[in-house]
């Protein structure tokens, strides 16, 4: 499985960015797809995830109402639309997938995922 994340950049606070992640396999085969981020000197944290068969995505509290995750199984793509960006959103963003459908509490746990993209830098200036 290969994942390729893209779409990062340098933006001002209040701006929007859309991250994309291209998967080499069939996205519909994965039990969960997710976005994570890691800021300098901080642990990697879950941003959003979609479990197969679930009623909807899961979001970290810090991004609820501002970020929207989506997946396009036909194109084997997943996206993270980020609106009203804040300087605290500055981080390297990673997409990740796993084959087995995780339990809900594992959906945003980076230790639950075995396949990762290379990361894309998002920098938000104040």
């Amino acid at each position: 499985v290969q994942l390729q994340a893209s779409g990062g950049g340098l933006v001002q606070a209040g701006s929007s960015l859309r991250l994309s992640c291209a998967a080499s396999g069939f996205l519909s085969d994965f039990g969960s797809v997710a976005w994570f981020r890691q800021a300098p000197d901080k642990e990697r944290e879950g941003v959003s995830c979609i479990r197969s068969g679930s009623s909807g995505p899961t979001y970290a509290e810090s991004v609820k109402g501002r970020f929207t995750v989506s997946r396009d199984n036909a194109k084997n793509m997943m996206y993270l639309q980020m609106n009203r960006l804040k300087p605290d959103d500055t981080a390297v963003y990673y997409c990740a997938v796993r084959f087995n459908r995780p339990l809900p509490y594992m959906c945003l746990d980076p230790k639950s995922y075995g396949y990762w993209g290379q990361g894309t830098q998002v920098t938000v200036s104040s």
Side-chain angles (χ1 to χ4, degrees):
V1 176
Q2 292 185 337
L3 302 171
Q4 182 76 33
S6 61
L10 171 62
V11 297
Q12 290 188 330
S15 300
S16 298
L17 276 176
R18 189 176 85 149
L19 305 184
S20 300
C21 179
S24 62
F26 292 108
L27 206 60
S28 57
D29 288 345
F30 300 121
S32 182
V33 299
W35 287 95
F36 294 85
R37 66 185 182 186
Q38 188 164 17
D41 300 323
K42 291 188 177 181
E43 293 186 354
R44 191 167 296 188
E45 64 172 351
V47 175
S48 183
C49 61
I50 304 176
R51 293 189 310 138
S52 62
S54 63
S55 58
T58 300
Y59 294 96
E61 285 296 325
S62 59
V63 306
K64 274 184 181 178
R66 300 188 297 122
F67 290 12
T68 303
V69 65
S70 60
R71 61 192 289 177
D72 186 334
N73 288 346
K75 295 182 179 179
N76 295 322
M77 295 288 294
M78 54 189 289
Y79 306 96
L80 184 67
Q81 177 66 43
M82 305 186 295
N83 298 328
R84 292 183 281 130
L85 282 161
K86 305 175 181 180
D88 284 349
D89 295 320
T90 295
V92 177
Y93 284 71
Y94 300 89
C95 53
V97 299
R98 56 174 283 165
F99 281 102
N100 296 326
R101 186 170 182 263
L103 295 172
Y105 76 92
M106 299 168 66
C107 195
L108 287 177
D109 184 351
K111 296 189 293 294
S112 299
Y113 291 80
Y115 301 95
W116 293 84
Q118 84 290 2
T120 183
Q121 177 71 46
V122 172
T123 303
V124 184
S125 63
S126 57

